[in-house]
Amino acid sequence: MILKLDSVPMVNDAISVREIDNEIIFIEESGKGIHTTTDTGLFIYKKIDGNRSLLDIIKSVCEEYDITEEIAKNDIFEFIDDLVNKEIITII
Amino acid sequence: MESLRDKILQKYIQSNRPFSVLFEVTKRCMCKCIHCYLADNSDNELSLKEIKDLFIQLKNIGVVNLGLTGGEPFLRKDIFEIIKYAYENHFFISILTTGILLDSEKIKLLKSYNVNQFEISILGAKAETHDKIMNYKGAFDKTIENINLLKKENAIISLKATIIKQNYKELVQMANIAKEFNVEFKANINIAPKTDGNKITLNYMLNEEELNEIDLKLINGGLIPGEDYSGGALLTCNAGKLSIGISSNGEIYPCLLFRKSIGNIRKKSLQDILIKNPSNFLKKLRKIKEEDVKRCYKCNIKKYCNRCPGISYLETKKIASANPSACYIANLVFNKISKN
C-alpha cells in the first residue's frame, strides 16, 4: 500500500479499540492480533475518524508538537503503514 | 516469555478493569428448565436507554468481550437495537440462547452486526427429553433447525449440556450431535443452586450409580463461558477481576453465578463500583489466593473436582469455602477412577 497525503485512514471494523490509562489497545476478535500505542501514536489515533486525510493529521501533529511537516510526515507514514500491514487500519 | 496479550490483561487486572462482561439482558424465558438457576423471571429490566448508557460506560473502562444472555435474550423486543449498539461500539459479541426464537432473517441480521459466536443449550439427544427438561414443546426441533441455519452462516457454536438425571443416558448421543454439526460440546455435571440460595435444583444431580454409567471424558465444564474446568477445582477465578456479570436490573456481580451484588448501575457509575470505590467484598475477592481456600487447597482429590467460586458462594454464602455439591461429585469421580 502506497500512502499519499490525501489518503484517508480508518480503523478496521473488526478491530476493537480501547483506551486504558493513556494507552490505546487494538484487539482483533480472535485475540491473536494485538497492538498497543502510547504518546504520539495515541494522538494520531485520535485523529483517525474516516474523514481526515493524512495531510490533515500531519498538520494537527505539527501544531501539537511544534515540529516540521517533513518530520511529522515520516513518523505518521511509518505509524500508519505499520497499522495497515497489521490490518488494523484500512485506507479509504 | 509473557505475550503482549498477557501484559494487557495484567494491566486490566492492576487497574481493576474487566475485559469481559456477561450481561443478562432479561430474566424472562419461555422455557422453564427444571434445573434453571434463576430464582425468578421478572424484575425491573434496564431500558434500552439505560443499556446504551451502560455500554458506553463499559467501553470507557475498556471492556472488549460482551456476552449477552438471559433468560432468553431474544425475548426482548429491542434485542436487535441492543446488539446494533454493541456492534457500533466495537464489542466482540457472543450470545447464550436456547436457539428457539431465531430464524434465517434474524441470523442474517446478527451476521451483519458481526455476531458470530453462540452458546446454545442442548438438554437431550431426543426431542422428548430436551423438551421435557425445558418444559417447552417443539424446543428441540426448532433449536436443531436454527443450528443448521447458523452453520450455513459460518457461526461459531458451542452446544452446552447440563447433564442431569433426566438426560445422562443420552450423553453420548448429545456429543454425537455436536460432532455431526462439527461444533464444540461443553457438558457439565455440576448444577448451581438457585440464585436465592434454594438448593432444589441439586436434586437433579447424578448419584453414584448414574455417574458410573457416563463417559467422564465427555464432561469438560461449560457453566461459565470462557472458563475451562477440565484442570480441576477452581479455587480462584477471574470473577470480579477480568470479568463481571450484570443482571437485567443493573445489578453488578463478580459473575452471574457469583450472586453477591457489588453495586447497581442505576445508583452508581461502573467507574465508581469497580475502580474508584469498590465494595469491601469486591476488594476481598480480588485479593483472594488459592491457599486462602484452605480446605480445597489441601484436598487430595481437587484435580477431580469442578469447584466454581460462584456456585460455592451460592451454596455456602462464604467466599473461600469448599462447595459441597462439587465435593460430592469429586468423590464420586475419584471413586469411579480408582475402581478402573
Side-chain angles (χ1 to χ4, degrees):
Chain A
M1 165 71 64
I2 296 169
L3 297 176
K4 296 177 189 162
L5 286 171
D6 61 355
S7 299
V8 176
M10 190 178 146
V11 177
N12 189 333
D13 236 11
I15 299 288
S16 188
V17 185
R18 297 293 183 254
E19 185 177 343
I20 304 291
D21 299 336
N22 295 322
E23 182 175 15
I24 293 287
I25 301 171
F26 302 93
I27 304 167
E28 193 195 320
E29 184 157 19
S30 66
K32 285 177 192 157
I34 282 188
H35 183 78
T36 62
T37 186
T38 53
D39 306 326
T40 323
L42 192 148
F43 181 83
I44 297 169
Y45 161 73
K46 287 189 171 175
K47 300 292 173 196
I48 298 172
D49 60 1
N51 292 315
R52 288 188 178 96
S53 68
L54 289 178
L55 183 60
D56 297 331
I57 296 172
I58 289 167
K59 282 180 178 167
S60 300
V61 170
C62 289
E63 274 174 33
E64 179 73 18
Y65 293 97
D66 193 23
I67 52 173
T68 64
E69 276 200 18
E70 193 54 33
I71 291 173
K73 184 187 164 199
N74 287 341
D75 288 352
I76 290 169
F77 272 43
E78 192 183 333
F79 177 78
I80 298 290
D81 196 44
D82 183 35
L83 294 187
V84 168
N85 286 334
K86 286 174 176 156
E87 297 180 0
I88 290 171
I89 277 179
T90 44
I91 300 297
I92 53 172
Chain B
M1 199 177 128
E2 209 179 19
S3 69
L4 178 58
R5 184 180 170 83
D6 292 337
K7 282 184 183 168
I8 289 170
L9 294 181
Q10 208 49 44
K11 186 167 183 170
Y12 270 75
I13 290 175
Q14 281 161 3
S15 56
N16 292 325
R17 295 164 194 272
F19 192 79
S20 304
V21 165
L22 188 56
F23 174 35
E24 193 177 76
V25 291
T26 180
K27 283 196 179 112
R28 287 177 286 132
C29 190
M30 63 287 176
C31 301
K32 301 280 173 270
C33 294
I34 56 176
H35 61 291
C36 180
Y37 72 103
L38 287 174
D40 71 275
N41 296 103
S42 60
D43 66 3
N44 187 8
E45 281 175 9
L46 295 175
S47 66
L48 179 61
K49 187 175 174 297
E50 287 174 309
I51 291 173
K52 285 184 173 181
D53 179 61
L54 169 67
F55 285 2
I56 294 299
Q57 291 191 55
L58 291 174
K59 181 183 174 182
N60 288 344
I61 63 168
V63 172
V64 174
N65 296 326
L66 178 63
L68 303 178
T69 184
E72 169 49 62
F74 291 99
L75 268 184
R76 269 194 81 123
K77 287 191 177 138
D78 52 7
I79 188 66
F80 284 95
E81 286 176 81
I82 292 170
I83 292 167
K84 181 171 183 261
Y85 201 70
Y87 162 72
E88 286 168 353
N89 283 285
H90 296 278
F91 291 102
F92 298 143
I93 308 163
S94 56
I95 300 185
L96 286 75
T97 170
T98 60
I100 296 170
L101 300 179
L102 293 170
D103 57 37
S104 78
E105 202 179 314
K106 286 175 184 164
I107 289 168
K108 283 201 165 67
L109 192 53
L110 288 169
K111 194 176 181 185
S112 75
Y113 296 143
N114 264 357
V115 182
N116 199 31
Q117 297 208 35
F118 296 84
E119 190 161 291
I120 296 175
S121 310
I122 181 164
L123 294 166
K126 297 179 203 155
E128 190 190 348
T129 313
H130 180 89
D131 293 2
K132 201 171 176 188
I133 294 171
M134 284 199 149
N135 273 307
Y136 192 91
K137 203 167 186 309
F140 184 83
D141 291 342
K142 197 68 199 164
T143 296
I144 295 293
E145 182 186 326
N146 284 326
I147 292 171
N148 266 313
L149 293 173
L150 284 165
K151 283 297 290 179
K152 278 184 194 159
E153 297 293 340
N154 297 319
I156 299 165
I157 302 167
S158 289
L159 290 187
K160 187 172 96 171
T162 304
I163 304 304
I164 57 178
K165 287 180 185 300
Q166 285 73 1
N167 63 11
Y168 75 97
K169 286 184 188 290
E170 294 172 30
L171 173 60
V172 174
Q173 295 94 314
M174 280 191 261
N176 285 339
I177 289 175
K179 214 173 187 177
E180 279 166 28
F181 278 118
N182 194 22
V183 300
E184 188 184 15
F185 181 62
K186 294 206 278 190
N188 77 84
I189 47 178
N190 285 59
I191 298 171
K194 286 197 171 283
T195 47
D196 60 3
N198 186 329
K199 292 177 185 154
I200 192 168
T201 48
L202 304 186
N203 293 335
Y204 300 110
M205 277 172 70
L206 304 186
N207 61 27
E208 184 164 13
E209 200 178 309
E210 291 155 350
L211 188 126
N212 283 338
E213 282 186 47
I214 63 168
D215 181 355
L216 287 175
K217 286 186 192 127
L218 295 173
I219 305 293
N220 69 347
L223 274 172
I224 307 170
E227 295 284 7
D228 183 2
Y229 288 170
S230 56
L234 268 182
L235 304 193
T236 63
C237 68
N238 286 326
K241 298 170 208 160
L242 279 175
S243 60
I244 56 165
I246 304 177
S247 80
S248 54
N249 64 355
E251 214 68 58
I252 311 292
Y253 298 108
C255 153
L256 285 180
L257 279 177
F258 208 132
R259 225 68 182 189
K260 166 74 178 172
S261 175
I262 49 174
N264 190 303
I265 53 141
R266 281 178 165 148
K267 294 175 187 158
K268 287 181 180 176
S269 69
L270 269 180
Q271 273 272 355
D272 223 25
I273 295 168
L274 298 173
I275 302 170
K276 288 185 181 161
N277 294 303
S279 65
N280 287 336
F281 179 86
L282 184 55
K283 282 189 215 164
K284 193 176 165 190
L285 180 66
R286 283 169 171 165
K287 278 185 194 159
I288 208 156
K289 297 187 191 80
E290 292 204 339
E291 49 267 43
D292 296 329
V293 190
K294 288 179 186 144
R295 191 175 143 202
C296 300
Y297 190 69
K298 289 177 192 162
C299 179
N300 56 12
I301 60 165
K302 66 183 172 201
K303 70 174 177 179
Y304 305 106
C305 175
N306 282 355
R307 179 189 189 269
C308 156
I311 296 180
S312 178
Y313 185 81
L314 269 179
E315 279 194 58
T316 64
K317 296 289 171 222
K318 288 179 189 157
I319 201 169
S321 67
N323 83 265
S325 61
C327 296
Y328 167 77
I329 294 283
N331 274 301
L332 296 187
V333 172
F334 176 70
N335 289 342
K336 177 174 177 171
I337 289 170
S338 303
K339 276 181 206 163
N340 295 336

